[in-house]
Amino acid sequence: MGNFIHVVLSCLPLSIESIFWDGDSLLLSSGGWYFRTESAWRVSREGEMQFACWDEDAGDLINGLAGLSVVGVDWVIGGQPIDPSMKLSDGRKLDVFCSTSIDPWVMSLPDGSIYVGNS
């Protein structure tokens, strides 16, 4: 995971054209990339949580990210390459919290790189 951040940064921005959330799996994608997770996630702005996966209207709210772009990426806790945090073009962040190694997050990038988290 050492070069994950560097490789993703070289591919930015990544437009979010499609979002799928069924209460278990979250999938963000566009023509050349995707991010999939079955872990808990939240969307925040300036340190204040706006909504999260367990909210009743999470499906409607997460669909509101369609049309934005991922413009930055880091770890939720700096220096701990476990939980990815994606900065969005409207200033919000999507943080993912890996819960098990059985269902890791997966990110496929336009350059052909594929990263599997928490594995």
Coordinates of all heavy atoms in Angstrom, one line a residue, residues 8 11 16 23 46 50 63 95 99 106 119:
V8 N -2.7 6.9 -7.1 CA -4.0 7.5 -7.2 C -3.9 9.0 -7.5 O -4.5 9.5 -8.4 CB -4.9 7.3 -6.0 CG1 -6.2 8.1 -6.1 CG2 -5.2 5.8 -5.7
C11 N -3.5 9.9 -11.0 CA -4.6 9.6 -11.9 C -5.7 10.7 -11.7 O -6.8 10.6 -12.4 CB -5.2 8.3 -11.6 SG -4.1 6.9 -12.1
I16 N -16.9 10.9 -10.9 CA -17.9 10.0 -10.4 C -19.1 10.1 -11.2 O -19.9 11.0 -11.1 CB -18.2 10.2 -8.9 CG1 -17.0 10.2 -8.0 CG2 -19.2 9.2 -8.4 CD1 -17.2 10.7 -6.6
G23 N -27.1 -0.8 0.6 CA -27.2 -1.1 2.0 C -26.0 -1.9 2.5 O -25.8 -2.0 3.7
E46 N -15.4 19.6 6.3 CA -14.7 20.4 7.3 C -14.9 19.8 8.7 O -15.1 20.5 9.7 CB -15.2 21.9 7.3 CG -14.9 22.5 6.0 CD -15.4 23.9 5.9 OE1 -16.1 24.4 6.9 OE2 -15.3 24.6 4.9
Q50 N -21.8 14.7 7.5 CA -23.1 15.0 6.9 C -24.1 13.8 6.8 O -25.2 14.0 7.0 CB -22.8 15.6 5.5 CG -22.1 16.9 5.5 CD -22.0 17.5 4.1 OE1 -22.0 16.9 3.1 NE2 -22.1 18.8 4.1
N63 N -26.2 9.2 -3.7 CA -26.4 9.5 -5.1 C -26.1 10.9 -5.5 O -25.9 11.2 -6.6 CB -27.8 9.1 -5.5 CG -27.9 7.6 -5.6 OD1 -27.0 6.9 -6.0 ND2 -29.1 7.0 -5.3
D95 N -15.0 9.0 3.6 CA -14.1 8.2 4.4 C -14.6 6.8 4.5 O -15.8 6.6 4.7 CB -13.9 8.7 5.8 CG -13.3 10.1 5.9 OD1 -12.5 10.4 5.1 OD2 -13.7 10.9 6.8
S99 N -13.6 -2.9 7.9 CA -14.1 -3.7 9.1 C -13.5 -5.1 9.1 O -13.4 -5.6 10.2 CB -15.6 -3.7 9.1 OG -16.1 -4.0 7.8
V106 N -11.8 -2.3 -2.8 CA -11.0 -2.5 -4.1 C -11.1 -1.2 -4.9 O -12.2 -0.6 -5.0 CB -11.6 -3.7 -4.9 CG1 -10.9 -3.8 -6.2 CG2 -11.6 -5.0 -4.1
S119 N -5.8 -6.2 3.1 CA -5.6 -7.6 2.8 C -4.2 -8.0 3.1 O -3.3 -7.2 3.4 CB -5.8 -7.8 1.3 OG -5.0 -7.0 0.5

